[in-house]
Amino acid sequence: SYKISELQGRGKGCVATRKMATDEEVLTEEALLTVKTFMILSGVVVLRCTRVERLYEQLSVEDQHRYVSLSPMSVPLPEKVAPMPTTLTTSSSSSAAAGVPNGQGASEATLRQRHGRTDDAVDASASDATASVLAPLPPTAEQHRQIWERNGLHFCDDADVRVNRWLHFVIFPALLSVLTGGLWAYWWRGEYIRSILGAAVLFFMMLGPVSIKVFFLGSQAIFLNASRVNHSCLANAAWQIEGQKSVLGGPPVNGMSAVSSALPLEPSDTKKLMLRTKRVVAQGEELTIDYIPELANMEPLTRRDLLQQEYGFLCDCKRCKDAERKPVPQQEREAEEVW
């Protein structure tokens, strides 16, 4: 129902190969890599708690090439690589003297006789040599950063929800209550217990709903095909990851709420992503998603600046272009002051 093509000015993207109805499944795929993260301001990653390098080393050679291809500094995957030579050429006379048939079989047999290696050992060395040729150079720290910043999808699962609830409704308010109440009692020579309890009443009632919008723990995953879907503020498709929840539980805010059928996906060890259409998509139309659906109501130009800062591109969708043409009231006032 779709194909990945080069799009002018947009790099690679997903294009519908036929007309697609509303709420139609576009693709379902498993995550290549998943990491735990510490995020601020609705999805800005400041720390990846899982070592990306360690996960990368566990990938197959083919998946390593696909992972590296997501970086703008990547090298194309070689179409065909010749295997490393595993035999030595010997003369027919020496082979005959050893009682071994002439030709390539003789050289292989001679190798095994000299080094005491079996057929399985030679085949294993051949596969290891081929793998070493195929394996790409390990990505640099900058390449890893670019790949995850441009292609990683943010979400929270049940484990993240449990941690966030404890962090924002128990641990963080308790620490601030002890710190604030203790300092208050120290400076004003009050009773420590009473000061701490007073601070606790304030922080436990108000802090959780406020702090959860500032920072939280979550997850981030790389999906190879979904990574090729470009952004639009007026997206025609939406994605959801199995087991996905909002930061404190409940339905996720990812644009899928506009789709009639919710995804009854259950958590599992390997995360799966499903992409569905939000409206009718014409044949040849590019499939797009919203990279920051939780900020859908933000002022368009501010949202555009945030996208450029976090993802490195300037959004040129209809919504952003229309907002760019409209005069901003503040700019109008400044122009009047100048005149």
Side-chain angles (χ1 to χ4, degrees):
S1 59
Y2 75 96
K3 64 178 180 179
I4 298 177
S5 306
E6 288 287 345
L7 304 176
Q8 185 176 4
R10 294 175 65 84
K12 290 186 177 180
C14 292
V15 179
T17 56
R18 59 174 175 82
K19 184 177 180 180
M20 306 183 72
T22 303
D23 193 20
E24 183 175 341
E25 179 182 334
V26 180
L27 66 89
T28 300
E29 68 170 321
E30 294 185 351
L32 180 67
L33 294 176
T34 304
V35 300
K36 293 297 181 182
T37 59
F38 181 79
M39 293 182 276
I40 62 173
L41 302 177
S42 298
V44 180
V45 176
V46 295
L47 175 66
R48 292 184 178 88
C49 307
T50 312
R51 284 187 59 85
V52 176
E53 294 83 1
R54 187 180 305 164
L55 295 177
Y56 170 81
E57 293 173 358
Q58 297 173 2
L59 295 175
S60 65
V61 172
E62 185 179 2
D63 284 340
Q64 286 181 356
H65 275 287
R66 292 174 176 173
Y67 174 85
V68 174
S69 70
L70 298 176
S71 169
M73 298 184 293
S74 64
V75 178
L77 175 65
E79 295 181 358
K80 185 177 181 181
V81 179
M84 294 288 288
T86 58
T87 61
L88 295 177
T89 302
T90 57
S91 64
S92 59
S93 59
S94 61
S95 299
V100 179
N102 294 332
Q104 183 176 359
S107 60
E108 292 180 355
T110 305
L111 263 179
R112 300 187 191 103
Q113 289 177 359
R114 290 178 180 175
H115 301 284
R117 302 177 67 183
T118 63
D119 292 343
D120 293 338
V122 174
D123 293 340
S125 66
S127 61
D128 291 342
T130 304
S132 64
V133 174
L134 284 174
L137 292 175
T140 63
E142 178 64 17
Q143 281 181 299
H144 278 303
R145 185 188 66 81
Q146 288 185 347
I147 290 172
W148 283 92
E149 286 187 356
R150 294 170 183 250
N151 304 284
L153 294 178
H154 308 294
F155 66 98
C156 288
D157 55 20
D158 288 330
D160 299 325
V161 171
R162 289 193 294 269
V163 172
N164 283 321
R165 286 175 176 174
W166 273 96
L167 179 64
H168 290 279
F169 292 107
V170 178
I171 298 175
F172 194 48
L175 289 176
L176 282 182
S177 299
V178 172
L179 179 62
T180 305
L183 289 175
W184 179 275
Y186 176 79
W187 285 107
W188 298 99
R189 301 184 183 280
E191 296 183 10
Y192 281 92
I193 295 180
R194 181 176 297 180
S195 299
I196 291 173
L197 290 176
V201 171
L202 175 65
F203 287 127
F204 275 90
M205 289 180 60
M206 300 179 57
L207 188 60
V210 175
S211 61
I212 197 66
K213 297 181 180 180
V214 179
F215 69 92
F216 58 91
L217 297 177
S219 301
Q220 194 176 19
I222 293 287
F223 297 88
L224 289 174
N225 291 326
S227 296
R228 301 302 186 185
V229 182
N230 290 320
H231 164 84
S232 174
C233 298
L234 299 174
N236 56 21
W239 58 271
Q240 184 170 330
I241 299 171
E242 62 178 346
Q244 183 181 0
K245 305 288 179 61
S246 64
V247 178
L248 293 177
V253 182
N254 58 3
M256 191 61 78
S257 58
V259 182
S260 59
S261 60
L263 299 179
L265 298 175
E266 297 298 330
S268 63
D269 294 337
T270 303
K271 296 298 180 183
K272 291 184 179 179
L273 174 142
M274 182 178 288
L275 185 70
R276 303 182 75 92
T277 58
K278 297 171 60 176
R279 59 172 176 80
V280 175
V281 179
Q283 181 179 358
E285 182 180 354
E286 182 185 6
L287 292 162
T288 57
I289 59 175
D290 191 346
Y291 285 4
I292 47 175
E294 65 278 2
L295 301 177
N297 296 325
M298 180 181 288
E299 197 276 324
L301 294 182
T302 303
R303 197 168 190 268
R304 190 186 200 185
D305 293 339
L306 179 61
L307 285 166
Q308 186 174 20
Q309 177 183 349
E310 296 301 321
Y311 293 95
F313 68 88
L314 189 65
C315 183
D316 60 351
C317 71
K318 184 177 183 301
R319 180 185 178 188
C320 290
K321 287 183 176 180
D322 290 345
E324 191 176 22
R325 296 189 190 100
K326 295 180 181 178
V328 181
Q330 178 64 28
Q331 294 176 342
E332 289 181 345
R333 287 195 295 268
E334 292 177 353
E336 291 176 358
E337 291 176 0
V338 171
W339 287 102

